[in-house]
Amino acid sequence: QGMKALGDFLSERTGLAVKVRSAETSVEAIDAFKGTADVGLLGLFEYILARAEYGVEAGMQVLRKDGVDTFAGVIVVRSDIRTQKLAELAFTKIAFVNEFSTTGFVFPMKLFHDQGVKVETHFAGSHPEALECLRNNTAAAATTYADAVLGKPEFRVIATTPPIPNEPIFFRKGFAPEKRDRICSALEYLAKTPEGKALLGKFADITGVHRVTDAHYQEVLGAVVAAGKTIYDVVPDGLSIDTRKRYHDLAPH
């Protein structure tokens, strides 16, 4: 219902025929920018992959809460164990979310990488499932976004990533600038109305938007590349978009 309402609003406001749909997997969402998709709202790492594969271009950034434009990932352990440092997790099983999750894998893995700590990777599939592995004591630690463990005394944070910019709304390479501007203007208008805020809130808790370019994400791209020889090397055994099929976790990544 939210996707149809958003499509209807954008169609009316821009004069364009806009259809909003959800991809079943991250791979499908990224591959849509071979030519069938014009505008995307995916996770940050998925945008980086789509940018590398198909040259998509950031046009806006989503905001959360009271205009917050960054978030952070955390590595957590159970509160009843003594682990204090990442080095103590060497060669233990860590519950990650999936290969595409910014806070559930990419940036926490970079923390391990930077400290030279090798761990056993387990992809739980979602943020709640990663934390459930920790509750069940089937993993020594779990990774998630910082807000996921607020008010949960059973977990203790032992490492936090640097601030990570919220994901962009991006456009297919070659998408007409005039159409891009119409869509950006419509979203800016939508975010200023109570009804619009409620509608946007159905999409990963978005509360607003502002305009950016790819340059806004250059630093975070460098951080991802620094975790491996290329962005594809960040994930275990590399990543082939054509063959690796993983469901995408849209909650704040």
Side-chain angles (χ1 to χ4, degrees):
Q1 186 178 3
M3 287 188 289
K4 184 180 185 305
L6 180 59
D8 289 346
F9 169 82
L10 290 174
S11 295
E12 181 179 352
R13 187 76 184 177
T14 64
L16 304 170
V18 179
K19 182 178 181 180
V20 181
R21 69 179 183 89
S22 175
E24 292 188 1
T25 68
S26 290
V27 172
E28 179 185 331
I30 293 166
D31 278 347
F33 288 89
K34 286 180 180 178
T36 58
D38 295 311
V39 187
L41 172 59
L42 306 177
L44 179 61
F45 190 45
E46 290 155 323
Y47 151 71
I48 291 174
L49 289 170
R51 178 175 163 182
E53 285 289 312
Y54 305 119
V56 302
E57 300 172 341
M60 308 193 84
Q61 182 183 34
V62 304
L63 306 174
R64 295 190 173 89
K65 299 181 180 178
D66 295 324
V68 176
D69 64 357
T70 62
F71 60 106
V74 290
I75 298 172
V76 299
V77 296
R78 289 166 56 114
S79 295
D80 59 356
I81 68 169
R82 296 181 179 182
T83 304
Q84 298 288 335
K85 299 178 181 180
L86 292 188
E88 298 173 60
L89 295 172
F91 304 107
T92 64
K93 180 187 291 185
I94 309 300
F96 295 98
V97 175
N98 62 44
E99 298 103 315
F100 297 93
S101 180
T102 308
T103 57
F105 175 64
V106 179
F107 278 84
M109 179 58 85
K110 185 175 185 302
L111 293 179
F112 285 119
H113 179 275
D114 288 348
Q115 293 194 25
V117 178
K118 295 184 178 181
V119 297
E120 179 183 345
T121 303
H122 170 70
F123 288 117
S126 71
H127 292 279
E129 289 171 339
L131 293 176
E132 191 61 27
C133 289
L134 198 51
R135 284 193 184 95
N136 295 338
N137 208 28
T138 57
T143 64
T144 187
Y145 57 99
D147 286 356
V149 293
L150 289 179
K152 295 180 179 178
E154 67 267 37
F155 302 122
R156 178 163 46 84
V157 175
I158 64 169
T160 302
T161 70
I164 304 165
N166 289 354
E167 63 269 31
I169 295 170
F170 57 86
F171 297 85
R172 171 178 55 81
K173 182 179 181 180
F175 190 63
E178 186 268 338
K179 292 181 179 180
R180 177 191 303 197
D181 185 65
R182 276 198 254 172
I183 291 173
C184 289
S185 295
L187 289 170
E188 288 171 329
Y189 175 84
L190 185 65
K192 293 177 182 177
T193 67
E195 298 81 8
K197 283 184 179 291
L199 178 57
L200 288 174
K202 296 179 180 180
F203 298 89
D205 299 322
I206 297 171
T207 61
V209 293
H210 67 174
R211 300 203 189 202
V212 296
T213 66
D214 285 330
H216 187 75
Y217 294 96
Q218 200 59 38
E219 184 175 346
V220 73
L221 175 61
V224 172
V225 172
K229 294 178 182 178
T230 72
I231 55 177
Y232 301 100
D233 294 329
V234 178
V235 301
D237 303 319
L239 171 67
S240 168
I241 285 185
D242 290 329
T243 59
R244 296 290 289 279
K245 307 294 184 183
R246 289 283 176 178
Y247 283 90
H248 132 90
D249 188 7
L250 185 60
H253 300 68

